[in-house]
Amino acid sequence: MVKIDAARGSSAKQTLVWYWMSEILTREHLAGSTGEVGAPILSRIYQFMSDGNIGYNQARKINYIPFPFAHAQISSMCSMFLIFLVPRLC
């Protein structure tokens, strides 16, 4: 197995641990130490691990992509308009 120190970056470390977990689950199932667990249950475990991996990568994309400055300024001006002007009109 590869050491986690060799992986560079948070995404690489997360992917490496995901591969470790998949490999351990596969090895244990092939060795018969998971007992009488059926294939649908094991496939559900793989699916949950994959969903977690996808969620992590989507959150990482949101964190690294900067919010456009012009959009932020327009949003703040619209909010100020709604907060101060609308109550006086109603």
Side-chain angles (χ1 to χ4, degrees), residues 7-8 11 16-17 20 22 26-29 32 40 43 49-51 55-56 59-61 66 76-77 83 85 87 90:
R8 294 200 169 107
S11 178
L16 180 62
V17 171
W20 285 346
S22 297
T26 303
R27 282 185 185 177
E28 294 300 316
H29 178 66
S43 70
M49 288 176 25
S50 177
D51 290 346
Y56 172 79
R60 192 173 58 90
K61 282 191 296 187
S76 66
M77 291 302 293
I83 290 171
L85 204 58
C90 294

Side-chain angles (χ1 to χ4, degrees), residues 46-63:
Y46 285 114
Q47 181 181 359
F48 279 133
M49 288 176 25
S50 177
D51 290 346
N53 195 17
I54 291 170
Y56 172 79
N57 286 325
Q58 288 177 348
R60 192 173 58 90
K61 282 191 296 187
I62 290 171
N63 187 30

Side-chain angles (χ1 to χ4, degrees), residues 54-84:
I54 291 170
Y56 172 79
N57 286 325
Q58 288 177 348
R60 192 173 58 90
K61 282 191 296 187
I62 290 171
N63 187 30
Y64 287 129
I65 296 174
F67 196 72
F69 180 74
H71 192 279
Q73 294 298 316
I74 291 171
S75 296
S76 66
M77 291 302 293
C78 288
S79 296
M80 296 303 264
F81 173 75
L82 289 172
I83 290 171
F84 293 113

